[in-house]
Amino acid sequence: MSKAFITDVIQNSTGITGVAANRAATDVIEAIVKELKKKGKFTLPSFGTFTVRKTKARKGVNPRSGEPIKVKAGKTVRFKSSPTLKTRV
């Protein structure tokens, strides 16, 4: 799924212009990001839950050279689908 896909769905379902649909898609994505930053969790009913998780620093391997590298600690977003989504797919 891409932002263009979301824009097309908004435009076709509401009948607004492409520019307005693009702005609406951007606003929705930004609202989700703000919620993840603020609370660390975002739920779309009947779809699933996005959660922010911390990752620990670890050792990795450069796939080209095979030499060990250090991977810094960071954050990642995980998704867990709802039971409703699982049954519909």
Side-chain angles (χ1 to χ4, degrees):
M1 181 185 298
S2 65
K3 184 178 169 187
F5 175 78
I6 296 170
T7 300
D8 287 340
V9 170
I10 292 171
Q11 184 177 7
N12 293 335
S13 66
T14 60
I16 61 177
T17 65
V19 174
N22 187 26
R23 192 175 324 120
T26 301
D27 290 345
V28 168
I29 292 168
E30 287 300 317
I32 292 170
V33 171
K34 280 184 184 179
E35 190 71 15
L36 285 171
K37 283 184 178 181
K38 182 178 177 184
K39 295 188 178 179
K41 188 176 182 180
F42 179 77
T43 301
L44 285 170
S46 300
F47 187 71
T49 302
F50 296 89
T51 54
V52 177
R53 292 198 181 165
K54 294 181 181 179
T55 58
K56 295 181 180 180
R58 61 191 186 280
K59 293 180 183 178
V61 177
N62 183 333
R64 288 189 180 193
S65 63
E67 63 186 57
I69 58 172
K70 293 180 182 178
V71 179
K72 295 179 181 179
K75 294 180 183 177
T76 187
V77 178
R78 302 280 175 115
F79 175 74
K80 182 178 179 187
S81 60
S82 71
T84 305
L85 178 64
K86 289 179 183 179
T87 58
R88 292 182 70 185
V89 174

